[in-house]
Amino acid sequence: SEEARTQVLVAPHIYFSQQLDNNWYFGMGINASYPLSVQWAPSDALSNIIQENNMLPLTINPNIAYKFQDIGLSIGAGVSYTYAFTSAEFLNPAYTRVEMDGGGFGYNLGFKWEATDFLTLAATYRSKVTLDLSGDAHIQGMGSIPYNQKPNLPAMYVVGIAYKPVKDWTIEVDVARTEFSSYKNFAGQKWENTWGYRFGAQYALNNNWDLRFGYAFEETPVPDAVVTADLPDGDNQTFS
């Protein structure tokens, strides 16, 4: 029985939107999607297999949307570019540190329907992104050799409902399906598709400021049969 070092991963994001005319809107999102990190203490037995494994992606996502004002229906689409830096340290059999970076393109589609003044329905699809990563493996006593991988960031489907029970308050519930089966670990073993459940609330403090908080629970995509030391993931909880 071993325990990885406790880590809190911060995933910041920033969004900007602008109404272009009566019907057209432009938006830009920048966010740290899918940050992953595992570290084992040198005293742990699993540190003989891998000491740490990190992936820190950054996604830039411009979007365009059109709103049918008379029926409250909006449709949108966007492209995304994800840049990622990855690093890993392991004994195989000599001490080795791998550093890679690179990126890949994806796209997203969405719609939103303001059914009533107090009820809104929405759905989003985000495509799989294949990262083309390249770099070097620094092997103790042997120098450096070129190293590359092409991991997949999974596609995601999300449906949500937002409800305004009283003035100034909005409550939202989302359900997400993530296709982690497109990802393979270092041993070439596939993960499983997962469900995620999200809750959020917003309070309109005044005409210019909103206060928001949220909670999400995501199932682990790693089946018990294929747990490895590089990413021994469990169920995830996110607070915002």
Side-chain angles (χ1 to χ4, degrees), residues 180-185 187-193 221-223 225-226:
F180 274 108
S181 60
S182 66
Y183 176 82
K184 293 182 180 180
N185 63 15
Q189 299 162 323
K190 282 190 174 183
W191 286 3
E192 294 179 336
N193 296 334
V222 185
V226 300

Side-chain angles (χ1 to χ4, degrees), residues 136-208:
D136 296 300
H138 308 276
I139 306 173
Q140 188 175 30
M142 298 178 60
S144 299
I145 60 172
Y147 198 85
N148 59 77
Q149 281 190 337
K150 291 188 176 182
N152 292 320
L153 300 182
M156 180 184 295
Y157 304 83
V158 183
V159 294
I161 181 171
Y163 177 68
K164 293 184 177 182
V166 295
K167 182 183 177 181
D168 298 333
W169 278 97
T170 303
I171 297 173
E172 181 174 338
V173 177
D174 294 347
V175 177
R177 180 68 168 173
T178 307
E179 295 184 338
F180 274 108
S181 60
S182 66
Y183 176 82
K184 293 182 180 180
N185 63 15
F186 283 177
Q189 299 162 323
K190 282 190 174 183
W191 286 3
E192 294 179 336
N193 296 334
T194 64
W195 290 100
Y197 309 94
R198 305 168 181 179
F199 168 83
Q202 173 179 289
Y203 176 71
L205 189 63
N206 53 45
N207 290 334
N208 297 318

Side-chain angles (χ1 to χ4, degrees), residues 83-86 98-103 131-137 145-151:
Y83 168 83
F85 171 79
T86 67
V98 176
E99 293 183 352
M100 297 182 293
D101 68 347
L131 300 177
D132 189 359
L133 303 177
S134 61
D136 296 300
I145 60 172
Y147 198 85
N148 59 77
Q149 281 190 337
K150 291 188 176 182

Side-chain angles (χ1 to χ4, degrees), residues 7 36-39 50-57 84-90 95-102 133-138 147 149 186 230-231:
Q7 296 185 86
L36 299 171
S37 181
V38 173
Q39 296 182 0
I50 187 165
Q51 295 180 337
E52 66 174 66
N53 186 23
N54 308 290
M55 182 171 71
L56 304 174
F85 171 79
T86 67
S87 65
E89 294 183 8
F90 52 89
Y95 170 78
T96 302
R97 178 173 178 83
V98 176
E99 293 183 352
M100 297 182 293
D101 68 347
L133 303 177
S134 61
D136 296 300
H138 308 276
Y147 198 85
Q149 281 190 337
F186 283 177
D230 58 328
L231 283 175

Side-chain angles (χ1 to χ4, degrees), residues 29 31 33-34 59-64 76-82 103-111 123-131 153-158 177 179:
N31 65 291
S33 55
Y34 304 104
T59 298
I60 300 174
N61 181 204
N63 292 269
I64 193 76
V79 295
S80 64
Y81 179 78
T82 299
F105 287 93
Y107 67 92
N108 57 279
L109 305 170
F111 86 91
T124 300
Y125 170 75
R126 296 188 177 277
S127 73
K128 178 180 71 173
V129 177
T130 299
L131 300 177
L153 300 182
M156 180 184 295
Y157 304 83
V158 183
R177 180 68 168 173
E179 295 184 338

Side-chain angles (χ1 to χ4, degrees), residues 101-122:
D101 68 347
F105 287 93
Y107 67 92
N108 57 279
L109 305 170
F111 86 91
K112 182 179 73 169
W113 180 40
E114 298 170 355
T116 68
D117 291 339
F118 55 86
L119 183 66
T120 301
L121 306 175

Side-chain angles (χ1 to χ4, degrees), residues 5-84:
R5 293 181 179 180
T6 299
Q7 296 185 86
V8 176
L9 301 181
V10 179
H13 55 274
I14 184 170
Y15 296 97
F16 164 83
S17 64
Q18 177 67 47
Q19 185 171 357
L20 303 178
D21 61 21
N22 191 48
N23 300 101
W24 287 96
Y25 297 76
F26 172 78
M28 173 72 78
I30 302 174
N31 65 291
S33 55
Y34 304 104
L36 299 171
S37 181
V38 173
Q39 296 182 0
W40 300 98
S43 58
D44 292 335
L46 290 176
S47 67
N48 292 325
I49 303 173
I50 187 165
Q51 295 180 337
E52 66 174 66
N53 186 23
N54 308 290
M55 182 171 71
L56 304 174
L58 180 70
T59 298
I60 300 174
N61 181 204
N63 292 269
I64 193 76
Y66 183 87
K67 183 174 183 179
F68 299 91
Q69 300 286 354
D70 53 340
I71 58 174
L73 178 66
S74 302
I75 57 174
V79 295
S80 64
Y81 179 78
T82 299
Y83 168 83

